[in-house]
Amino acid sequence: MHSDPIADLLTRIRNGATAHKDSVDIPHSKIKVEIVKILEAEGFITGHEITTESKFPTIKVHLRYDSKRKPLLTHLKRISKPGLRVYKQIGELKPLRNGLTTRIISTSAGLMTDREARRRNMGGEVICEVH
């Protein structure tokens, strides 16, 4: 059992990209699927699929690389951890690195990017940062 399944998701994606894997398998959960959907919408991964071939369903995440086979995910960091939750109000959600860093925020309206949270005028728990 993992004490932090979101950190496990991020670590598997980071390790798969470092090892130049085409895809990585991750145990399925609803929040992990939502995070993967955001990563796909932002263009960091090429796609995902949910497989039920084994006893437990898994998410197969297809990683994305540039023309020189360098991973597009250069930085994937867990911010809010089970032992220390990090919440930001709308005024604290300033763009990082001139908008190049995407933060995934858990709001009362569900998971979304920091750009979407600013557009909707919402704050929430900062799950991770990606660039």
Side-chain angles (χ1 to χ4, degrees):
M1 186 177 104
H2 297 287
S3 60
D4 189 3
I6 296 172
D8 179 57
L9 161 84
L10 301 176
T11 301
R12 286 178 191 232
I13 292 174
R14 191 181 320 113
N15 289 346
T18 303
H20 298 289
K21 300 276 187 182
D22 290 328
S23 64
V24 291
D25 291 331
I26 299 159
H28 180 275
S29 77
K30 290 178 186 178
I31 192 163
K32 290 179 189 177
V33 171
E34 292 302 314
I35 291 172
V36 168
K37 284 181 183 177
I38 291 173
L39 291 176
E40 184 177 356
E42 292 293 312
F44 292 110
I45 61 175
T46 57
H48 73 283
E49 56 192 55
I50 298 170
T51 58
T52 56
E53 296 168 358
S54 63
K55 184 177 177 183
F56 300 104
T58 60
I59 308 165
K60 184 180 278 286
V61 177
H62 302 285
L63 303 174
R64 186 171 175 197
Y65 300 95
D66 65 6
S67 60
K68 295 180 181 175
R69 193 76 177 148
K70 288 186 68 176
L72 290 182
L73 278 171
T74 57
H75 178 79
L76 191 58
K77 183 180 178 186
R78 177 84 157 118
I79 300 299
S80 189
K81 300 176 172 101
L84 180 63
R85 302 290 184 184
V86 177
Y87 297 95
K88 299 283 184 182
Q89 295 178 356
I90 183 64
E92 300 171 315
L93 286 176
K94 305 280 189 242
L96 295 177
R97 297 184 65 224
N98 291 330
L100 295 176
T101 297
T102 300
R103 288 180 283 200
I104 298 177
I105 311 287
S106 176
T107 67
S108 57
L111 287 182
M112 60 185 71
T113 64
D114 59 336
R115 241 175 278 114
E116 178 72 15
R118 282 193 302 272
R119 192 179 68 72
R120 291 187 181 191
N121 202 25
M122 301 178 88
E125 180 183 356
V126 181
I127 302 293
C128 64
E129 290 179 355
V130 184
H131 69 261

